[in-house]
Amino acid sequence: MKKNENKDMFKAAWNYAAAPESTDHINLQKQYDLYIDGKFIKPVKGKYFDTINPSNDKKIASVAEATAEDVDLAVKAARKAFKGWANLSGKDRGKYIFRIARLIQERAREFAVIESLDGGKPIRESRDIDIPLAANHFFYYAGWADKLEYAFPNRKPKPLGVVGQIIPWNFPLLMAAWKLAPALATGNTIVLKPAESTPLTALKLAEIINDCGLPKGVVNIVTGAGETGANIVNHPDINKIAFTGSTGVGKYIAKAIAGTDKKVTLELGGKGANIIFEDAAIDQAVEGIVNAIFFNQGHVCCAGSRLFVQESVAGLVIQKLKARMETLIVGDPLDKNTDIGAINSKKQLQTIQNYIKIGLSEGGEIYQPECSLPKEGNWCAPTLFLNVSQSHKIVQEEIFGPVLTVQTFRTINEVIEKANNTPYGLSAGVWTQNGAKIFHLTQRLEAGVIWANTFNKFDATSPFGGYKESGFGREGGLQGLKPYVKFE
Ligand code: ADP
């Protein structure tokens, strides 16, 4: 194939087919209130903040900013609802959760468009991954609600009480589903806070929860920034905090609840290693590497952000990787052909740009394909760093953007040591045709999730979570029920 032929083919297809998903029939309000005790109510202090479309810097809506008073109302409503919900039969709890899943499916298109508008992710991903997985998560845990005695044989699980759930901006609806579904199935009541840059799908979910007649106060959704989150963490009548977000905030939460009897699960950052051996199916591996780091703009805690290639195939892999990066389309999140959408916020764009500067100052060799990025909004071209080593900051720290570091290795022991040499332990990927090698690596890599010859595959039935500074506790699967129950 001639140089760039591939790229031109994609660009031509793009120009021809560019057809942004329509925003007609997307029901968005100008202003969103808090969802507390089965009602949408104004915040006590009357404060609102703007949620911004990261692809054009335009305001989408104003959203209520919950202060300590509002959080207190939400916790009181959840406490009042607790006994009734916990004592409802598992079968009836399951019916409500099932109904939530069905309503997400019915309104899937609206959810997908709003997710892409508010968070910047490509519509193809919202439509094919985020929203269906969110619905599946509710379906899956609806099924457990009346089977808890099988999940915990010979022990009687009891719900913990009122759970505070704080979620990030990278998979807004999906993270709400990961948090809410197992907590509801086990009989807890909830105060959930979405991230301040992506509150809209959680508020849409509040509408669904309201429509499906869930008893009032069982789920309360409060919006606001870090301070609102801290008010949830520090509220004395909360029994557990479930958090997904940055390691910095995770550490703050762990300290804040030390000495209290609150329980906690933390799902924090990562610096996933993706390892290609010389016997791998190289084309398939390159496609997997691209998906591992550029999916969702690299705003993925389990992203494969460090690539390790066996020396004998390094030249070939890097050449193929660069060629594939040239074909990636960066642009309008609502365009069905977009591969890399908008960076979620100005703040995150600055963080990524700062890491790119650090990478260069440490001697890394950068590669970015040419892309004409839109003038407005937050954008970052897919980025590769060669010539990096273990001590480099961009190899050690989570960037949470479309930036991949590439290192080479000779032996299996060398790559295991390098892969494990970060403070994180969330994910890893192994590319080889040799099954024994896969089993050997899954034993020795310190990562909660290890994919073989694939990456970034999620399913409601599989547990997900980390080691080391990536946090503790598991979400998904049978294991995902445990953090929401106690035994007496
Ligand atoms: P980022 O730094 O990438 O924005 P965060 O970890 O700050 O990621 O955000 C994850 C979630 O944690 C968001 O909902 C955010 O509002 C919330 N949060 C931020 N700071 C605090 C805090 N001190 N206490 C509780 N929640 C917080």
Side-chain angles (χ1 to χ4, degrees), residues 160 162-165 238-242 262-265 483-484:
L160 299 174
V162 177
V163 180
Q165 304 186 321
I238 290 256
N239 300 102
K240 178 200 164 87
I241 296 292
K262 286 175 192 161
K263 296 199 162 22
V264 67
T265 39
Y484 290 103

Side-chain angles (χ1 to χ4, degrees), residues 59-365:
K59 171 178 169 178
I60 307 174
S62 337
V63 177
E65 186 179 322
T67 53
E69 292 87 338
D70 302 300
V71 168
D72 189 47
L73 287 176
V75 174
K76 286 202 169 101
R79 179 60 61 197
K80 204 165 56 172
F82 174 60
K83 252 199 183 143
W85 182 247
N87 289 334
L88 204 65
S89 72
K91 188 169 146 217
D92 284 338
R93 282 203 307 272
K95 278 189 196 163
Y96 284 113
I97 304 169
F98 189 81
R99 223 176 281 164
I100 296 174
R102 288 287 293 138
L103 288 178
I104 292 175
Q105 280 188 325
E106 278 173 24
R107 291 170 63 176
R109 179 176 170 270
E110 191 177 7
F111 269 110
V113 173
I114 294 174
E115 202 71 303
S116 287
L117 278 175
D118 204 19
K121 68 173 66 204
I123 187 74
R124 223 176 42 217
E125 293 177 8
S126 318
R127 191 192 59 196
D128 296 348
I129 299 170
D130 292 60
I131 311 305
L133 278 182
N136 280 348
H137 223 77
F138 282 107
F139 277 125
Y140 176 74
Y141 282 105
W144 271 121
D146 63 351
K147 300 174 195 69
L148 294 178
E149 71 265 35
Y150 301 107
F152 305 102
N154 307 321
R155 305 176 82 190
K156 192 156 171 39
K158 291 240 162 82
L160 299 174
V162 177
V163 180
Q165 304 186 321
I166 299 169
I167 57 172
W169 42 261
N170 55 345
F171 294 93
L173 184 72
L174 184 58
M175 289 302 106
W178 278 28
K179 294 276 178 285
L180 290 171
L184 288 172
T186 44
N188 298 278
T189 56
I190 296 145
V191 177
L192 174 122
K193 189 192 90 62
E196 55 272 36
S197 65
T198 54
L200 293 181
T201 46
L203 290 162
K204 280 274 147 195
L205 186 63
E207 289 172 18
I208 277 186
I209 286 169
N210 205 41
D211 291 349
C212 84
L214 194 77
K216 60 182 190 176
V218 171
V219 173
N220 305 275
I221 297 187
V222 295
T223 40
E227 210 178 311
T228 309
N231 284 325
I232 298 175
V233 170
N234 294 315
H235 195 290
D237 200 26
I238 290 256
N239 300 102
K240 178 200 164 87
I241 296 292
F243 172 78
T244 298
S246 59
T247 298
V249 175
K251 286 184 180 172
Y252 160 82
I253 292 175
K255 279 187 203 147
I257 65 162
T260 72
D261 66 353
K262 286 175 192 161
K263 296 199 162 22
V264 67
T265 39
L266 302 173
E267 204 270 272
L268 309 175
K271 194 74 187 171
N274 226 340
I275 304 170
I276 304 190
F277 288 95
E278 60 191 2
D279 65 354
I282 300 291
D283 287 337
Q284 188 191 334
V286 167
E287 201 53 36
I289 301 308
V290 165
N291 166 52
I293 184 63
F294 301 125
F295 168 56
N296 200 28
Q297 296 72 249
H299 301 329
V300 183
C301 50
C302 58
S305 49
R306 290 179 299 150
L307 173 60
F308 294 97
V309 196
Q310 199 152 23
E311 217 170 72
S312 50
V313 289
L316 179 67
V317 167
I318 292 164
Q319 179 207 335
K320 283 182 182 269
L321 189 54
K322 284 181 175 173
R324 180 66 179 96
M325 283 168 70
E326 283 194 19
T327 68
L328 293 174
I329 294 167
V330 184
D332 184 0
L334 288 185
D335 193 305
K336 294 170 192 97
N337 296 303
T338 292
D339 297 303
I340 301 184
I343 298 300
N344 184 267
S345 65
K346 287 259 173 289
K347 182 178 147 217
Q348 188 57 26
L349 181 60
Q350 274 163 11
T351 304
I352 298 167
Q353 287 170 339
N354 196 36
Y355 272 115
I356 291 178
K357 268 194 210 138
I358 292 172
L360 288 169
S361 71
E362 285 180 328
E365 180 193 324

